[in-house]
Amino acid sequence: VQLVESGGGLVQAGGSLRLSCAVTGSGFSIGPMGWHRQALGKQRELVATITGGGFTNYADSVKGRFTISRDNAKNAVYLQMNSLKPEDTAVYYCNARLAWSLTEDNYWGQGTQVTVSS
């Protein structure tokens, strides 16, 4: 099982980026998925989560600017980031709760760097 992220990069303040994360492997079901971020010298923080039914939750700092979505057929989760600010600069990690018949666990992607220049 792997969570493969893509879409990070360098963008000017006010710009947009779209992050993608695909879960590879088989034999499991996927529960809640989400995005977290970690800025240099800071703790990892929640950005947004989405349940299998599509219910979403956002950090106050990104409400109205970021949108999380998922494609259950593709085992993928996305983060559309608009009106980006320099303080959004961080490594962004996707995560997913995966369940097999007798167990479940949280899995994380490798992280993708987002840098917003002022």
Side-chain angles (χ1 to χ4, degrees), residues 1 3 31-33 94-100 104-109:
V1 174
L3 274 63
M33 306 180 80
C94 69
N95 77 289
R97 185 80 174 174
L98 306 184
W100 288 260
E104 60 181 53
D105 206 350
N106 283 318
Y107 284 79
W108 293 86

Side-chain angles (χ1 to χ4, degrees), residues 68-81:
I68 189 171
S69 61
R70 64 190 283 169
D71 185 332
N72 292 329
K74 295 182 178 180
N75 288 348
V77 63
Y78 308 97
L79 187 68
Q80 178 66 42
M81 305 184 294

